[in-house]
Amino acid sequence: MEIKSATFVISSSNYKQCPDTGLPEYAFIGRSNVGKSSLINMLTRNKGLAKTSVRPGKTQLINHFIINGKWYIVDLPGYGYARTSKTSRGLWQKMTADYFLNREQLVNTFVLIDSRIPPQRIDLEFLSFLGVNGVPLSIVFTKIDKQNQRETMKNINAFKQAMKEEWEQLPELFLTSSVTGYGRDRLLDYINEINNSINK
Ligand code: GTP
Ligand code: MG
């Protein structure tokens, strides 16, 4: 799929403020600093579209971007940032949980996992939350440019193993690098397929 246009639409602090056009949307979620905003910029080939930072906790709201005038990418704040207060963690949980539980236009959630590290409990728990609530999801391993392929595969296989303890069937898995662009075509094709299946 070609991306002809990608435009910021709105930042919302509540799912009720999100666009009510009914167009399908794809959410990007994962631990703080995992590379959600960078991946969105890589997919849209627009480095300044979603705000990124070397420090975790950059994205604070639900951000909608419209793609080709037909579907949305949604950038969300990350979870698991140790230095946020309990209050703001609570607010994050409410904002994102409400979004995932109520957003009818949400057709797929990409859960981003850092390919540099072994399986983390917080990621597995978040996946369970989505799974239990029937939110459709895929997994995207990020930052594969940071280490050799052997290390990446070791972490991915360990993650799959950990998931198998709870999940009967594994979701679709993607490997990406926002630096090299690896994984871009496959991810966009996947989104395209879902969009086409909706329009039938
Ligand atoms: P929050 O909004 O704080 O939750 O973070 P985020 O998940 O949106 O992460 P962001 O895209 O801001 O990236 C965090 C840091 O990781 C930045 O310094 C990025 O340059 C870096 N980064 C993201 N993706 C990649 C990647 O694929 N490869 C490399 N080498 N660095 C990456
Ligand atoms: Mg971000």
Side-chain angles (χ1 to χ4, degrees):
M1 171 174 42
E2 234 188 289
I3 298 216
K4 297 188 194 100
S5 64
T7 318
F8 169 74
V9 180
I10 191 173
S11 294
S12 317
S13 58
N14 186 306
Y15 77 94
K16 289 179 184 159
Q17 299 165 346
C18 295
D20 61 0
T21 53
L23 292 172
E25 66 191 45
Y26 297 83
F28 291 77
I29 186 77
R31 273 191 316 130
S32 261
N33 214 244
V34 71
K36 301 174 290 295
S37 303
S38 302
L39 180 67
I40 290 168
N41 294 343
M42 183 272 259
L43 292 174
T44 57
R45 293 214 168 111
N46 182 340
K47 282 212 158 73
L49 189 66
K51 300 284 174 292
T52 66
S53 169
V54 287
R55 276 181 284 139
K58 179 69 183 173
T59 310
Q60 299 274 357
L61 296 164
I62 306 168
N63 297 294
H64 275 73
F65 303 92
I66 187 140
I67 313 299
N68 297 346
K70 290 202 176 116
W71 52 279
Y72 294 105
I73 280 178
V74 183
D75 191 15
L76 291 156
Y79 51 77
Y81 179 33
R83 282 166 65 190
T84 44
S85 67
K86 268 203 175 144
T87 322
S88 66
R89 214 172 300 164
L91 287 173
W92 179 89
Q93 274 174 0
K94 171 129 185 63
M95 177 172 79
T96 48
D98 278 356
Y99 170 82
F100 284 112
L101 299 178
N102 295 293
R103 189 69 175 154
E104 283 170 16
Q105 297 88 329
L106 178 63
V107 291
N108 196 50
T109 299
F110 293 101
V111 181
L112 276 59
I113 306 289
D114 193 332
S115 72
R116 298 175 299 176
I117 51 174
Q120 306 286 304
R121 180 194 288 259
I122 192 164
D123 291 321
L124 293 163
E125 281 177 0
F126 189 77
L127 285 165
S128 299
F129 161 74
L130 294 182
V132 163
N133 289 292
V135 180
L137 65 94
S138 316
I139 294 185
V140 177
F141 292 96
T142 63
K143 308 193 185 184
I144 65 157
D145 60 283
K146 285 262 198 178
Q147 68 283 326
N148 63 41
Q149 205 183 348
R150 213 174 122 234
E151 191 67 24
T152 303
M153 289 325 291
K154 192 178 95 190
N155 291 330
I156 291 179
N157 285 330
F159 199 88
K160 282 194 200 167
Q161 231 21 68
M163 273 198 90
K164 277 183 189 156
E165 286 177 21
E166 207 181 325
W167 294 69
E168 261 171 51
Q169 211 187 337
L170 291 185
E172 199 76 30
L173 306 175
F174 297 88
L175 275 68
T176 63
S177 163
S178 297
V179 170
T180 67
Y182 187 93
R184 182 178 183 271
D185 291 349
R186 212 189 131 219
L187 232 161
L188 288 178
D189 284 348
Y190 181 73
I191 291 176
N192 196 31
E193 266 177 41
I194 300 178
N195 282 340
N196 289 340
S197 70
I198 295 169
N199 292 330
K200 262 183 204 144

Coordinates of all heavy atoms in Angstrom, one line a residue, residues 124-185:
L124 N 3.3 -9.0 28.7 CA 2.5 -10.2 28.7 C 1.1 -9.9 29.4 O 0.1 -10.3 28.9 CB 3.2 -11.4 29.4 CG 4.4 -11.9 28.6 CD1 5.3 -12.7 29.5 CD2 4.0 -12.7 27.4
E125 N 1.2 -9.1 30.4 CA 0.0 -8.7 31.1 C -0.9 -7.8 30.3 O -2.1 -8.0 30.3 CB 0.3 -8.0 32.5 CG 0.7 -9.0 33.5 CD 1.1 -8.4 34.9 OE1 1.1 -7.1 35.0 OE2 1.4 -9.2 35.8
F126 N -0.3 -6.9 29.6 CA -1.1 -6.0 28.7 C -1.7 -6.8 27.6 O -2.9 -6.6 27.3 CB -0.2 -4.9 28.2 CG -1.1 -3.9 27.5 CD1 -1.8 -2.9 28.2 CD2 -1.2 -3.8 26.1 CE1 -2.7 -2.0 27.6 CE2 -2.0 -2.9 25.5 CZ -2.7 -2.0 26.2
L127 N -1.0 -7.8 27.0 CA -1.5 -8.6 26.0 C -2.7 -9.4 26.5 O -3.7 -9.5 25.8 CB -0.5 -9.6 25.4 CG 0.6 -8.9 24.5 CD1 1.8 -9.8 24.4 CD2 0.0 -8.6 23.2
S128 N -2.6 -9.9 27.7 CA -3.7 -10.6 28.3 C -5.0 -9.7 28.5 O -6.1 -10.2 28.2 CB -3.4 -11.1 29.7 OG -2.3 -12.0 29.6
F129 N -4.7 -8.5 28.9 CA -5.8 -7.6 29.1 C -6.6 -7.4 27.7 O -7.8 -7.5 27.7 CB -5.3 -6.2 29.5 CG -6.3 -5.1 29.3 CD1 -7.4 -4.9 30.1 CD2 -6.0 -4.1 28.3 CE1 -8.3 -3.9 29.8 CE2 -6.9 -3.1 28.0 CZ -8.0 -2.9 28.8
L130 N -5.8 -7.2 26.6 CA -6.5 -7.1 25.3 C -7.2 -8.4 24.9 O -8.3 -8.4 24.5 CB -5.5 -6.7 24.3 CG -4.8 -5.3 24.4 CD1 -3.9 -5.1 23.2 CD2 -5.8 -4.2 24.4
G131 N -6.5 -9.5 25.1 CA -7.0 -10.8 24.7 C -8.3 -11.1 25.5 O -9.3 -11.5 24.8
V132 N -8.3 -11.0 26.8 CA -9.5 -11.3 27.6 C -10.7 -10.4 27.1 O -11.8 -10.9 27.2 CB -9.2 -11.0 29.1 CG1 -10.4 -10.9 29.9 CG2 -8.2 -12.1 29.6
N133 N -10.4 -9.2 26.7 CA -11.5 -8.3 26.3 C -11.8 -8.4 24.8 O -12.5 -7.5 24.3 CB -11.1 -6.9 26.8 CG -11.2 -6.7 28.3 OD1 -12.3 -6.8 28.8 ND2 -10.1 -6.6 28.9
G134 N -11.2 -9.3 24.1 CA -11.5 -9.5 22.7 C -11.1 -8.4 21.8 O -11.7 -8.2 20.7
V135 N -10.0 -7.7 22.2 CA -9.5 -6.7 21.3 C -8.5 -7.3 20.3 O -7.5 -7.9 20.7 CB -8.7 -5.6 22.1 CG1 -8.2 -4.5 21.2 CG2 -9.7 -5.0 23.2
P136 N -8.8 -7.2 19.0 CA -7.9 -7.8 18.0 C -6.5 -7.2 18.0 O -6.3 -6.0 18.1 CB -8.5 -7.6 16.6 CG -9.7 -6.7 16.9 CD -9.9 -6.5 18.4
L137 N -5.5 -8.1 18.0 CA -4.1 -7.5 18.1 C -3.1 -8.3 17.3 O -3.3 -9.4 16.9 CB -3.7 -7.5 19.6 CG -3.6 -8.9 20.3 CD1 -2.1 -9.4 20.2 CD2 -4.0 -8.8 21.7
S138 N -2.0 -7.6 17.1 CA -0.8 -8.2 16.4 C 0.4 -7.7 17.3 O 0.3 -6.7 18.0 CB -0.6 -7.7 15.0 OG -1.8 -7.7 14.3
I139 N 1.5 -8.4 17.1 CA 2.7 -8.0 17.8 C 3.8 -7.5 16.9 O 4.0 -8.1 15.8 CB 3.2 -9.2 18.7 CG1 2.2 -9.5 19.7 CG2 4.6 -8.9 19.3 CD1 2.6 -10.6 20.7
V140 N 4.4 -6.4 17.3 CA 5.5 -5.8 16.5 C 6.7 -5.7 17.3 O 6.7 -5.0 18.3 CB 5.0 -4.4 16.0 CG1 6.2 -3.7 15.2 CG2 3.8 -4.4 15.1
F141 N 7.7 -6.4 16.9 CA 9.0 -6.3 17.6 C 9.8 -5.2 17.0 O 9.9 -5.1 15.8 CB 9.8 -7.6 17.5 CG 9.2 -8.8 18.3 CD1 8.4 -9.7 17.6 CD2 9.4 -8.9 19.6 CE1 7.7 -10.7 18.3 CE2 8.8 -9.9 20.3 CZ 8.0 -10.8 19.7
T142 N 10.2 -4.3 17.9 CA 10.9 -3.0 17.4 C 12.4 -3.1 17.6 O 12.9 -3.9 18.3 CB 10.3 -1.8 18.2 OG1 10.7 -2.0 19.6 CG2 8.8 -1.7 18.0
K143 N 13.1 -2.1 17.0 CA 14.5 -1.9 17.2 C 15.4 -3.0 16.8 O 16.4 -3.3 17.5 CB 14.8 -1.4 18.6 CG 13.9 -0.2 19.1 CD 14.4 0.4 20.3 CE 13.4 1.5 20.8 NZ 13.8 2.2 22.0
I144 N 15.0 -3.8 15.8 CA 15.9 -4.9 15.4 C 17.2 -4.5 14.8 O 18.1 -5.4 14.7 CB 15.1 -5.9 14.4 CG1 14.9 -5.2 13.1 CG2 13.8 -6.5 15.0 CD1 14.8 -6.2 11.9
D145 N 17.4 -3.3 14.5 CA 18.7 -2.8 14.0 C 19.7 -2.7 15.2 O 20.9 -2.5 14.9 CB 18.6 -1.4 13.4 CG 18.0 -0.4 14.4 OD1 16.8 -0.4 14.6 OD2 18.8 0.4 14.9
K146 N 19.3 -2.8 16.4 CA 20.1 -2.5 17.6 C 21.0 -3.7 17.9 O 22.0 -3.5 18.7 CB 19.3 -2.2 18.8 CG 18.7 -0.8 18.7 CD 19.5 0.2 19.5 CE 18.8 1.4 19.9 NZ 19.6 2.3 20.7
Q147 N 20.7 -4.9 17.5 CA 21.6 -6.1 17.8 C 21.6 -7.0 16.7 O 20.9 -6.9 15.7 CB 21.1 -6.8 19.1 CG 19.7 -7.5 19.0 CD 18.5 -6.5 19.0 OE1 18.6 -5.5 19.7 NE2 17.5 -6.8 18.2
N148 N 22.4 -8.1 16.8 CA 22.5 -9.0 15.7 C 21.2 -9.9 15.7 O 20.5 -10.0 16.6 CB 23.8 -9.8 15.7 CG 23.9 -10.7 17.0 OD1 22.9 -11.3 17.4 ND2 25.1 -10.8 17.5
Q149 N 21.1 -10.6 14.5 CA 19.9 -11.3 14.3 C 19.7 -12.5 15.3 O 18.5 -12.8 15.6 CB 20.0 -11.9 12.8 CG 18.6 -12.2 12.2 CD 18.8 -12.8 10.8 OE1 19.9 -12.8 10.3 NE2 17.7 -13.4 10.3
R150 N 20.8 -13.0 15.7 CA 20.7 -14.1 16.6 C 20.1 -13.7 17.9 O 19.2 -14.4 18.5 CB 22.1 -14.7 16.8 CG 22.1 -16.2 17.1 CD 23.5 -16.8 17.2 NE 23.6 -17.4 18.5 CZ 24.6 -17.1 19.3 NH1 25.5 -16.3 19.1 NH2 24.6 -17.8 20.5
E151 N 20.5 -12.6 18.4 CA 20.0 -12.0 19.7 C 18.5 -11.7 19.5 O 17.7 -12.0 20.4 CB 20.8 -10.7 20.0 CG 20.6 -10.2 21.3 CD 21.1 -11.0 22.5 OE1 22.0 -11.9 22.2 OE2 20.6 -10.9 23.6
T152 N 18.2 -11.1 18.4 CA 16.8 -10.8 18.1 C 15.9 -12.0 18.1 O 14.9 -12.1 18.8 CB 16.6 -10.1 16.7 OG1 17.4 -8.9 16.7 CG2 15.2 -9.7 16.4
M153 N 16.4 -13.1 17.4 CA 15.6 -14.3 17.4 C 15.5 -15.0 18.7 O 14.4 -15.6 19.0 CB 16.1 -15.3 16.3 CG 15.9 -14.8 14.9 SD 14.4 -13.9 14.5 CE 13.2 -15.2 14.7
K154 N 16.5 -14.9 19.5 CA 16.5 -15.5 20.8 C 15.4 -14.8 21.7 O 14.6 -15.5 22.3 CB 17.9 -15.3 21.5 CG 18.0 -16.1 22.8 CD 19.4 -15.9 23.4 CE 19.4 -14.8 24.4 NZ 20.7 -14.4 24.9
N155 N 15.3 -13.5 21.6 CA 14.3 -12.8 22.4 C 12.9 -13.1 21.9 O 11.9 -13.2 22.6 CB 14.6 -11.3 22.4 CG 15.9 -11.0 23.2 OD1 16.2 -11.7 24.2 ND2 16.6 -9.9 22.8
I156 N 12.8 -13.1 20.5 CA 11.4 -13.3 20.0 C 11.0 -14.8 20.3 O 9.8 -15.0 20.7 CB 11.5 -13.1 18.4 CG1 11.7 -11.6 18.2 CG2 10.2 -13.6 17.8 CD1 11.7 -11.2 16.7
N157 N 11.9 -15.7 20.2 CA 11.5 -17.1 20.5 C 11.1 -17.2 22.0 O 10.1 -17.9 22.3 CB 12.6 -18.1 20.1 CG 12.6 -18.3 18.6 OD1 11.6 -18.2 17.9 ND2 13.8 -18.5 18.1
A158 N 11.8 -16.6 22.8 CA 11.5 -16.6 24.3 C 10.1 -16.0 24.5 O 9.3 -16.4 25.3 CB 12.5 -15.9 25.1
F159 N 9.8 -14.9 23.8 CA 8.5 -14.2 23.9 C 7.4 -15.1 23.4 O 6.4 -15.3 24.1 CB 8.5 -12.9 23.1 CG 7.4 -12.0 23.6 CD1 7.7 -11.1 24.6 CD2 6.2 -12.0 23.0 CE1 6.7 -10.3 25.1 CE2 5.2 -11.2 23.5 CZ 5.4 -10.3 24.5
K160 N 7.6 -15.8 22.3 CA 6.6 -16.7 21.8 C 6.3 -17.8 22.8 O 5.2 -18.2 23.1 CB 7.1 -17.4 20.5 CG 7.0 -16.5 19.3 CD 7.2 -17.4 18.1 CE 7.6 -16.8 16.8 NZ 8.1 -17.8 15.8
Q161 N 7.4 -18.4 23.4 CA 7.3 -19.4 24.4 C 6.5 -19.0 25.5 O 5.6 -19.7 26.0 CB 8.8 -19.8 24.8 CG 9.2 -21.2 24.8 CD 8.4 -22.1 23.9 OE1 8.4 -22.0 22.7 NE2 7.6 -23.0 24.5
A162 N 6.8 -17.8 26.0 CA 6.1 -17.2 27.2 C 4.6 -17.0 26.8 O 3.7 -17.3 27.7 CB 6.7 -15.9 27.6
M163 N 4.3 -16.6 25.6 CA 2.9 -16.4 25.2 C 2.1 -17.7 25.1 O 1.0 -17.8 25.5 CB 2.8 -15.7 23.9 CG 2.9 -14.2 24.0 SD 2.3 -13.4 22.4 CE 0.5 -13.3 22.8
K164 N 2.8 -18.8 24.7 CA 2.2 -20.1 24.5 C 1.6 -20.6 25.8 O 0.7 -21.5 25.8 CB 3.2 -21.0 23.9 CG 3.2 -20.9 22.3 CD 4.1 -21.9 21.7 CE 4.3 -21.6 20.2 NZ 5.5 -22.2 19.7
E165 N 2.2 -20.1 26.9 CA 1.7 -20.6 28.2 C 0.2 -20.2 28.4 O -0.5 -20.7 29.2 CB 2.6 -20.1 29.4 CG 3.9 -20.9 29.4 CD 4.9 -20.4 30.4 OE1 4.4 -19.8 31.4 OE2 6.1 -20.7 30.2
E166 N -0.1 -19.1 27.8 CA -1.5 -18.5 28.0 C -2.4 -18.6 26.8 O -3.6 -18.6 26.9 CB -1.3 -17.1 28.5 CG -2.4 -16.6 29.4 CD -2.2 -15.2 29.8 OE1 -1.0 -14.8 30.0 OE2 -3.2 -14.5 29.9
W167 N -1.7 -18.4 25.6 CA -2.5 -18.3 24.4 C -2.5 -19.6 23.6 O -1.5 -20.2 23.4 CB -1.9 -17.2 23.5 CG -1.9 -15.8 24.1 CD1 -1.3 -15.4 25.2 CD2 -2.7 -14.7 23.7 NE1 -1.6 -14.1 25.5 CE2 -2.5 -13.6 24.6 CE3 -3.6 -14.5 22.6 CZ2 -3.1 -12.4 24.4 CZ3 -4.2 -13.3 22.5 CH2 -4.0 -12.2 23.4
E168 N -3.7 -19.9 23.1 CA -3.8 -21.1 22.3 C -3.2 -20.9 20.9 O -2.5 -21.8 20.4 CB -5.3 -21.4 22.1 CG -5.8 -22.5 23.0 CD -7.3 -22.7 22.9 OE1 -7.8 -22.8 21.8 OE2 -7.9 -22.6 24.0
Q169 N -3.4 -19.7 20.4 CA -2.9 -19.4 19.1 C -2.1 -18.1 19.2 O -2.6 -17.1 19.8 CB -4.1 -19.2 18.2 CG -3.9 -19.6 16.7 CD -5.1 -19.2 15.9 OE1 -6.2 -19.0 16.4 NE2 -4.8 -19.0 14.6
L170 N -1.0 -18.0 18.5 CA -0.2 -16.8 18.6 C -0.7 -15.8 17.6 O -1.2 -16.2 16.5 CB 1.3 -17.1 18.3 CG 2.0 -17.9 19.4 CD1 3.5 -18.0 19.1 CD2 1.8 -17.2 20.8
P171 N -0.7 -14.5 17.9 CA -1.1 -13.5 16.9 C -0.1 -13.3 15.8 O 1.0 -13.9 15.9 CB -1.2 -12.2 17.8 CG -0.3 -12.5 19.0 CD -0.3 -13.9 19.2
E172 N -0.4 -12.6 14.9 CA 0.5 -12.2 13.8 C 1.7 -11.5 14.4 O 1.5 -10.6 15.3 CB -0.2 -11.3 12.8 CG 0.4 -11.2 11.4 CD 0.1 -12.4 10.6 OE1 -0.9 -13.0 10.7 OE2 1.0 -12.7 9.7
L173 N 2.9 -11.8 13.9 CA 4.1 -11.2 14.5 C 4.9 -10.4 13.4 O 5.0 -10.9 12.2 CB 5.1 -12.2 15.0 CG 4.6 -13.2 16.1 CD1 5.6 -14.3 16.4 CD2 4.2 -12.5 17.4
F174 N 5.4 -9.3 13.7 CA 6.2 -8.5 12.8 C 7.5 -8.1 13.4 O 7.6 -7.9 14.6 CB 5.4 -7.2 12.4 CG 4.1 -7.4 11.7 CD1 2.9 -7.6 12.5 CD2 4.0 -7.5 10.3 CE1 1.7 -7.9 11.8 CE2 2.8 -7.7 9.7 CZ 1.7 -7.9 10.4
L175 N 8.5 -8.0 12.5 CA 9.8 -7.5 13.0 C 10.1 -6.1 12.3 O 9.9 -6.0 11.1 CB 10.9 -8.4 12.5 CG 11.2 -9.6 13.5 CD1 10.1 -10.6 13.5 CD2 12.5 -10.3 13.0
T176 N 10.5 -5.1 13.1 CA 10.6 -3.8 12.4 C 11.9 -3.1 13.0 O 12.4 -3.3 14.0 CB 9.4 -2.9 12.7 OG1 9.3 -2.7 14.2 CG2 8.1 -3.5 12.2
S177 N 12.3 -2.1 12.1 CA 13.3 -1.1 12.6 C 12.9 0.2 12.0 O 12.7 0.3 10.8 CB 14.7 -1.5 12.1 OG 15.5 -0.3 12.2
S178 N 12.7 1.2 12.8 CA 12.3 2.5 12.3 C 13.6 3.2 11.7 O 13.4 4.2 11.0 CB 11.8 3.3 13.5 OG 10.6 2.7 13.9
V179 N 14.7 2.7 12.0 CA 16.0 3.3 11.5 C 16.2 2.8 10.0 O 16.5 3.6 9.1 CB 17.2 2.9 12.4 CG1 18.5 3.3 11.7 CG2 17.0 3.6 13.7
T180 N 16.0 1.5 9.8 CA 16.3 0.9 8.4 C 15.0 0.9 7.6 O 15.1 0.7 6.4 CB 16.9 -0.5 8.5 OG1 15.9 -1.4 9.1 CG2 18.1 -0.5 9.4
G181 N 13.9 0.9 8.2 CA 12.6 0.8 7.5 C 12.2 -0.7 7.3 O 11.2 -1.0 6.7
Y182 N 13.0 -1.6 7.9 CA 12.6 -3.0 7.9 C 11.2 -3.3 8.4 O 10.8 -2.7 9.4 CB 13.7 -3.9 8.7 CG 13.5 -5.3 8.5 CD1 14.2 -6.0 7.5 CD2 12.6 -6.0 9.2 CE1 14.0 -7.4 7.3 CE2 12.4 -7.4 9.0 CZ 13.1 -8.1 8.0 OH 12.9 -9.4 7.8
G183 N 10.5 -4.1 7.7 CA 9.1 -4.5 8.1 C 8.0 -3.5 7.6 O 6.8 -3.8 7.8
R184 N 8.4 -2.4 7.0 CA 7.4 -1.4 6.6 C 6.4 -2.0 5.6 O 5.1 -1.9 5.8 CB 8.1 -0.2 6.0 CG 7.1 0.9 5.6 CD 7.9 2.1 5.0 NE 6.9 3.2 4.7 CZ 6.3 3.3 3.5 NH1 6.6 2.5 2.5 NH2 5.5 4.3 3.3
D185 N 6.9 -2.6 4.5 CA 6.0 -3.1 3.5 C 5.0 -4.2 4.0 O 3.8 -4.2 3.7 CB 6.8 -3.7 2.3 CG 7.5 -2.7 1.6 OD1 7.2 -1.5 1.8 OD2 8.4 -3.0 0.7

